[in-house]
Amino acid sequence: MKDGDSSTKPVTRKRFVDWLLGTSAGGFLAAVFYPVARYIVPPEVPEASVNSVTLAFAADDVPSNFGRIFKFGTRPGILVRTPGGELRAFSARCTHLDCTVQYREDLSHIWCACHNGHFDLNGRNIAGPPPEPLQVFDVNERGGQIVVSVRS
Amino acid sequence: MTDGTGPGSRARGAIGRFASWLDDRIGLSAIMPVLRKKEVPVHRHSFWYYIGGMALFLFLLQIATGILLLFYYRPSAEGAYESIQFLMAEVEFGWLIRSIHSWGANLMIFMAFVHMFSVMLLKAYRAPREITWITGVGLLFVSMGLGFTGYLLPWNELSFFATRVGTEIPGVVPVVGPFIRDVLRGGEDVSGATLTRFYALHVSVLPALAFMLVALHVLLVQRHGMSVPPSIEAEGGPRRSMKFFPQFLLRDLVGWLAALAMLAAAAAFFPAHLGEKADPFAPAPAGIQPEWYFMFMFQTLRYLPAEIMGIEGELVGVGAFGVVGIVLLFVPFLDKPKGPDAKPGKLWTWLTFGALAYILLFSYLGYTFDPNA
Amino acid sequence: MRVARHLWLATLLWLLPLVPTAAQTLPSSDACRDCHLALEEESLVAPARAYERDVHAETGFGCLACHGSGGTNQLNPAAGFLAAPERREIPGMCGRCHSDAVFMRQFDPGLRVDQVQEYWTSRHGELLQDSNDPDVATCIDCHPAHEIRPADDPASTVHPSNILSTCGRCHANPARMAAREIGTSQVAEYTGSVHGQLLLEEGDLSAPVCNDCHGNHGAAPPGLASVRNVCGQCHSVMADYFDDSAHGQIFEEADLPGCALCHEHHAIESVDDAALLARSEDVCLTCHEPPDTLGLEFRRIAAVLDTLNRAAEASRAILEEAENVGMEVSQALFELEDVGNAQTRAHSAIHTFQVAPVREQVAAGMEITVRAAERGREALDEHRFRRLGLGASASIILLLIIGLLMKIRELERAEDTS
Ligand code: HEM
Ligand code: FES
């Protein structure tokens, strides 16, 4: 221990320690609260939910006798406006070998290009290899927005 | 810090005025003399005094990160996995918060174990600290309960099946077993109902319980001061002591910061993973494991024969662990020095080492166990 | 001996009404069954036992429906008992009911009634008609007499999962096929084909089996010109491309077998993009002999497909790397799956035999791979950033710890001096 040193030394040393403590404590608080603050800010991507999804396009964008593919969580869905003007939605994954189905305006029903599978506007497999109907979703329209949800 | 001269003294003056205003109204300053008076004995086993504080810090960290996780978590079989996935992929620093909570839980339980064993070996549970010990054991059980319930919350494959196995175990107890199992599961099998139940336990019931226990525990520790181990006492007691405030607390702080840095590093290098979403109808994947702190019990049950003296083997195992748990609670009353010269027996020390060896051995066997062999 | 047995049977049948307990009507089917089940000779018991599971029994028809030549369950005394019919008579016997639309309507209005008619147009029917060929299949060879099950019953010999072995019973049997030119390789070839793998290994009942290309009752090899139509039932997009291509017309004029020329018929393999080149060298260059360079278009097509495959693989590798270091990229991986759709469309476009339409589909796929790779790289950058952030905050914590330790020493020194 260097107790015999001049009395100014411990004072500058003490100042340095206080300074070091003060700045690093400030830095530490910043390092803790910066991530927390960023965490609390809601992310831009809306939260994905498996149960329902609000489509990125408006109801007006879908004329009658027309179909559009959308993303439903981690799988594709297909939104169809029937020639009668009604909106319907199905899983767009073909029940045969998982190709993405499409709407055929000339046939007014859903069709899978991979092996010529046909589905009617209730999602039922009416021709070709698909062994099962397409999964049917519920469609709701709120102020021009389309909300598709799993049928419970 | 105390002399009030220096560049920040005016600001300190204002703070000081506010502090005294506040103190007039709530009177917290009464604590300071207590803290100042408290002395921590310094001797060769002093290191273990820090572990309890470390567990306390980790507990508070769990509460803080847990609350943050609640901002995004959704407690349902349909949404839980997806919400965690969202948290990990889209929420900024979501990975950090989640990983710290998950690593922190392990570290906290580890510290609680270390703390308990050190208290056992240093015999800090002797009168008048029996209640301190009991609340401590209660805390360990509650922590393990928090670990168990928390494990299911991400609703992924591994946790789902581990929970199915874990909740099956109380089912072996006759008469009430199946009832307990069904209450735990909220139905006959692990399902969305189990998830909401575990969620309620994990974020409200168990933390509230833990909080009360911690409060009582810490209060008692403050009241009794640190216990000096018999071996030191026999040498004539500690030669030195240290002020609790600020000396001891500053040292605590160093440990806490180091723990935090370690957790952050663990989060950056080994983020908590998520795996596949639980599918109740899928066959159980290979390698279903409980959390490490349940492994020794799990492995014991695996080794038990189907029947022991006409009783179902698993039931014997569960019963034995139940008895050990109860014995653990009452250690301070069981380990009473016989005879008036109050020489503490070595029996409990050996039992502690035995338990430690057992846990280590069976955990090791559990992690190297090959179910196909 | 056979005659003896029949005589015995006939006597029995005529005596039955005389049994006091029996109703004073003609002998019933129940009576046939009861006696047959009690007989000792296994070959006489078996039909009666099997018939209990027969779809006709379930619908209410008894032995006499076929063997009695009367109506449903009665013996026509005039026509008498009908023992095992001649092979050539079998279609007519089944047709007695199955070709009668009015009759069949009572039981299954949806069932077709032209099977017998179709049968006579089949190769089996032709041979039976023309030369009374003893080896060709009649109704009961595919629908075993006495235990006929409907086609949707998995236990049925004509259920999709059993058709291969039903046809194979003769067609894969060298002894039976020895004298014929069609050989016995079809079943084995089919088993190794894409369709066979789907059906037999993955249990996909929608995969085509023998009858889906050859017809059921009118089974015959599709004519050269109709191959394209047969495959086009399912592979309609490719078939359309093919029709519009230069080959569509030329093949038709030259009587070349559409799809089968490149894809074989029973041994249809799934052509992976690597094999595409080798295969096309073999097939295309047989007609497009140098100096004709048209056949070389395939090289360009293969190259274009290859770019997409590589890009998809590269993107997947980046995402997997990100996943391995613990980043959450499942959404990006999912989006990358969409490349599969683009690849399918590109493969369909091969049947234009031109590189441009293939390139168009490939371009759509490339966009997906580029996006996926971007997300993967972002994730990896983020991972690097995490370490940087960790380094920074760890240094801050370290400084704070040093400060604390210095403070502790300072306090201790103050204590020591005081
Ligand atoms: C989350 C769990 C726990 C927390 C937050 C916690 C916290 C603390 C703290 C802050 C102290 C004072 C520092 C010290 O003496 O080490 C302490 C002391 C103590 N703890 Fe715990 N503890 C926990 C678990 C346990 C467990 C599991 C046991 C025993 C089974 C236990 C038994 C004790 C005893 C007997 C003392 C007094 C030790 C002494 O006076 O030297 N604690 N605990
Ligand atoms: S994948 Fe849709 S019909 Fe085959």
Side-chain angles (χ1 to χ4, degrees):
Chain A
M1 307 247 157
K2 321 172 200 160
D3 270 11
D5 283 9
S6 75
S7 61
T8 50
K9 237 187 176 173
V11 173
T12 43
R13 192 196 153 98
K14 180 175 154 51
R15 271 215 189 152
F16 171 71
V17 171
D18 282 351
W19 172 84
L20 179 66
L21 264 181
T23 19
S24 56
F28 173 71
L29 288 183
V32 169
F33 284 105
Y34 173 71
V36 170
R38 293 287 293 270
Y39 173 86
I40 289 173
V41 174
E44 277 164 30
V45 202
E47 183 166 356
S49 151
V50 270
N51 288 328
S52 98
V53 62
T54 306
L55 301 192
F57 46 86
D60 297 341
D61 297 344
V62 194
S64 75
N65 198 27
F66 192 75
R68 267 185 92 152
I69 298 290
F70 59 88
K71 247 180 58 199
F72 193 81
T74 55
R75 48 208 168 131
I78 183 166
L79 182 84
V80 169
R81 197 187 282 281
T82 65
E86 203 184 324
L87 282 175
R88 294 189 187 165
F90 309 92
S91 156
R93 208 172 260 175
C94 180
T95 52
H96 180 221
L97 293 177
D98 288 348
C99 286
T100 304
V101 298
Q102 53 188 287
Y103 186 75
R104 279 274 295 262
E105 282 126 58
D106 53 339
L107 301 173
S108 290
H109 68 220
I110 297 166
W111 177 67
C112 177
C114 282
H115 309 101
N116 200 18
H118 294 255
F119 301 89
D120 70 11
L121 291 181
N122 293 308
R124 275 191 290 261
N125 45 325
I126 45 172
E132 275 166 45
L134 295 173
Q135 190 192 351
V136 185
F137 297 143
D138 277 332
V139 187
N140 285 297
E141 219 184 307
R142 281 182 219 139
Q145 269 194 334
I146 305 171
V147 180
V148 174
S149 36
V150 168
R151 184 162 284 184
S152 45
Chain B
M1 228 181 174
T2 42
D3 57 8
T5 61
S9 67
R10 187 171 307 155
R12 266 177 220 160
I15 292 175
R17 271 200 303 284
F18 177 68
S20 70
W21 177 88
L22 201 64
D23 193 43
D24 287 343
R25 274 140 196 95
I26 51 179
L28 270 182
S29 67
I31 292 182
M32 283 318 279
V34 177
L35 288 182
R36 263 180 219 287
K37 225 179 75 206
K38 191 180 170 190
E39 296 267 331
V40 178
V42 179
H43 48 76
R44 63 179 131 76
H45 296 310
S46 283
F47 171 76
W48 303 107
Y49 291 151
Y50 294 102
I51 308 294
M54 178 71 92
L56 177 65
F57 166 70
L58 290 168
F59 177 66
L60 296 178
L61 188 66
Q62 288 307 101
I63 293 186
T65 50
I67 289 174
L68 285 173
L69 288 176
L70 284 180
F71 281 37
Y72 293 100
Y73 180 71
R74 294 174 180 226
S76 75
E78 295 78 37
Y81 179 86
E82 285 76 10
S83 66
I84 302 270
Q85 205 169 38
F86 177 75
L87 182 103
M88 295 295 282
E90 305 293 348
V91 179
E92 282 188 86
F93 294 105
W95 59 276
L96 183 66
I97 304 291
R98 171 161 182 251
S99 303
I100 288 189
H101 192 77
S102 128
W103 281 110
N106 288 302
L107 196 57
M108 172 179 141
I109 290 172
F110 178 73
M111 287 301 166
F113 266 107
V114 174
H115 181 50
M116 185 186 80
F117 277 109
S118 68
V119 167
M120 281 280 269
L121 292 172
L122 299 179
K123 293 191 180 292
Y125 50 72
R126 290 164 304 150
R129 297 186 177 84
E130 294 95 335
I131 309 278
T132 319
W133 168 264
I134 290 176
T135 52
V137 174
L139 270 174
L140 180 72
F141 291 167
V142 171
S143 310
M144 288 168 81
L146 278 164
F148 184 65
T149 50
Y151 194 44
L152 179 68
L153 298 187
W155 200 246
N156 56 19
E157 213 177 31
L158 271 184
S159 70
F160 177 85
F161 286 103
T163 304
R164 189 182 259 177
V165 174
T167 48
E168 195 59 59
I169 290 169
V172 302
V173 178
V175 191
V176 288
F179 175 74
I180 295 177
R181 182 195 59 205
D182 291 357
V183 169
L184 267 177
R185 288 179 172 178
E188 282 189 1
D189 202 351
V190 177
S191 67
T194 321
L195 183 66
T196 44
R197 238 152 238 258
F198 274 37
Y199 173 71
L201 290 174
H202 188 79
V203 309
S204 69
V205 180
L206 293 176
L209 210 60
F211 207 84
M212 288 188 284
L213 286 172
V214 167
L216 189 58
H217 193 79
V218 173
L219 191 82
L220 288 172
V221 171
Q222 291 304 321
R223 165 139 304 170
H224 297 309
M226 301 308 200
S227 119
V228 176
S231 57
I232 302 288
E233 218 115 71
E235 293 161 14
R239 268 167 292 133
R240 282 197 322 125
S241 72
M242 177 199 295
K243 280 207 172 345
F244 175 74
F245 185 87
Q247 321 292 57
F248 187 78
L249 202 61
L250 283 178
R251 285 178 164 81
D252 261 340
L253 215 55
V254 170
W256 300 356
L257 287 169
L260 190 63
M262 262 166 55
L263 286 178
F269 286 99
F270 313 102
H273 48 70
L274 187 53
E276 294 282 308
K277 181 173 176 166
D279 176 1
F281 304 109
I288 296 289
Q289 269 179 4
E291 295 266 71
W292 59 267
Y293 38 87
F294 292 118
M295 186 50 112
F296 69 96
M297 296 191 260
F298 184 66
Q299 189 61 18
T300 307
L301 294 184
R302 269 213 284 233
Y303 281 138
L304 289 177
E307 219 169 78
I308 299 172
M309 294 187 299
I311 311 174
E312 200 183 328
E314 209 163 305
L315 178 59
V316 174
V318 172
F321 282 119
V323 170
V324 170
I326 291 169
V327 166
L328 198 61
L329 268 177
F330 292 108
V331 165
F333 307 102
L334 297 171
D335 182 20
K336 282 267 191 267
K338 294 156 225 108
D341 62 342
K343 203 71 174 120
K346 280 263 172 265
L347 172 69
W348 285 91
T349 308
W350 288 118
L351 280 180
T352 311
F353 279 124
L356 207 55
Y358 184 89
I359 291 177
L360 290 177
L361 176 68
F362 275 72
S363 302
Y364 170 77
L365 290 173
Y367 282 102
T368 51
F369 184 75
D370 179 6
N372 306 317
Chain C
M1 183 180 152
R2 205 174 187 175
V3 180
R5 194 191 293 154
H6 287 160
L7 271 175
W8 178 81
L9 204 100
T11 340
L12 195 76
L13 283 172
W14 285 110
L15 286 178
L16 261 173
L18 307 178
V19 178
T21 45
Q24 285 302 310
T25 50
L26 294 167
S28 72
S29 294
D30 285 351
C32 311
R33 188 197 57 207
D34 294 346
C35 285
H36 268 266
L37 286 177
L39 290 174
E40 255 169 34
E41 207 176 315
E42 178 56 28
S43 64
L44 295 174
V45 180
R49 200 186 299 122
Y51 190 65
E52 282 169 27
R53 293 189 303 272
D54 193 292
V55 64
H56 298 98
E58 283 171 6
T59 324
F61 294 94
C63 315
L64 295 170
C66 297
H67 292 291
S69 70
T72 40
N73 275 342
Q74 268 146 39
L75 192 66
N76 179 351
F81 173 74
L82 192 69
E86 280 287 307
R87 292 185 70 76
R88 222 202 273 243
E89 284 164 10
I90 290 174
M93 179 173 133
C94 299
R96 230 170 50 204
C97 297
H98 277 275
S99 301
D100 181 344
V102 177
F103 181 80
M104 288 309 289
R105 197 155 56 216
Q106 307 168 63
F107 301 97
D108 185 350
L111 208 65
R112 294 172 59 162
V113 289
D114 56 356
Q115 296 94 336
V116 175
Q117 205 183 337
E118 276 195 319
Y119 174 77
W120 292 123
T121 71
S122 76
R123 190 73 188 129
H124 297 140
E126 270 174 18
L127 288 173
L128 185 70
Q129 184 85 293
D130 296 350
S131 51
N132 201 6
D133 189 326
D135 278 338
V136 294
T138 65
C139 312
I140 60 162
D141 292 295
C142 299
H143 308 280
H146 303 121
E147 46 184 327
I148 297 171
R149 299 294 307 152
D152 57 11
D153 178 342
S156 166
T157 45
V158 290
H159 184 263
S161 59
N162 296 328
I163 294 234
L164 190 64
S165 56
T166 299
C167 299
R169 210 158 47 91
C170 298
H171 283 277
N173 180 347
R176 213 172 253 255
M177 290 292 152
R180 299 166 201 274
E181 57 190 34
I182 63 172
T184 52
S185 59
Q186 300 90 341
V187 170
E189 283 172 1
Y190 172 84
T191 305
S193 74
V194 245
H195 298 137
Q197 303 266 311
L198 267 177
L199 178 73
L200 303 168
E201 269 162 41
E202 289 172 32
D204 179 351
L205 294 183
S206 63
V209 242
C210 319
N211 64 323
D212 289 296
C213 297
H214 294 284
N216 304 318
H217 302 102
L224 289 183
S226 55
V227 167
R228 171 246 167 259
N229 294 335
V230 169
C231 302
Q233 290 178 91
C234 290
H235 302 282
S236 56
V237 176
M238 303 184 192
D240 287 346
Y241 276 133
F242 178 79
D243 286 347
D244 292 344
S245 75
H247 287 147
Q249 265 205 342
I250 296 167
F251 277 34
E252 203 177 336
E253 280 160 16
D255 246 4
L256 286 169
C259 319
L261 190 70
C262 298
H263 293 281
E264 301 288 340
H265 37 298
H266 295 109
I268 300 166
E269 279 174 49
S270 81
V271 192
D272 66 25
D273 293 346
L276 177 68
L277 201 58
R279 178 64 150 271
S280 52
E281 303 271 286
D282 289 351
V283 181
C284 309
L285 299 190
T286 41
C287 293
H288 296 281
E289 280 174 333
D292 170 2
T293 55
L294 284 174
L296 301 181
E297 187 80 349
F298 251 103
R299 298 208 177 141
R300 261 160 274 159
I301 292 178
V304 168
L305 287 172
D306 197 42
T307 23
L308 180 58
N309 293 346
R310 273 171 210 243
E313 246 164 62
S315 300
R316 171 156 294 120
I318 295 176
L319 285 173
E320 272 165 7
E321 189 190 340
E323 198 173 42
N324 283 341
V325 298
M327 305 300 295
E328 170 48 60
V329 286
S330 57
Q331 183 66 23
L333 272 171
F334 162 69
E335 277 163 24
L336 187 60
E337 307 253 292
D338 230 18
V339 168
N341 276 322
Q343 279 167 328
T344 304
R345 279 194 292 271
H347 286 149
S348 300
I350 294 177
H351 300 87
T352 58
F353 307 99
Q354 287 177 335
V355 72
V358 179
R359 193 178 284 132
E360 203 177 295
Q361 303 297 344
V362 162
M366 288 302 281
E367 261 174 48
I368 299 169
T369 61
V370 168
R371 259 199 314 272
E374 235 165 60
R375 293 198 63 160
R377 258 178 243 115
E378 271 168 25
L380 287 173
D381 284 349
E382 156 85 11
H383 187 250
R384 242 163 269 138
F385 168 76
R386 285 182 187 181
R387 295 191 175 191
L388 218 71
L390 171 72
S393 45
S395 340
I396 293 176
I397 291 180
L398 192 68
L399 279 183
L400 190 53
I401 288 178
I402 293 173
L404 281 172
L405 291 177
M406 290 173 83
K407 188 81 194 169
I408 290 169
R409 269 189 67 184
E410 185 191 304
L411 287 170
E412 264 169 9
R413 194 170 300 160
E415 234 165 58
D416 285 351
T417 45
S418 70

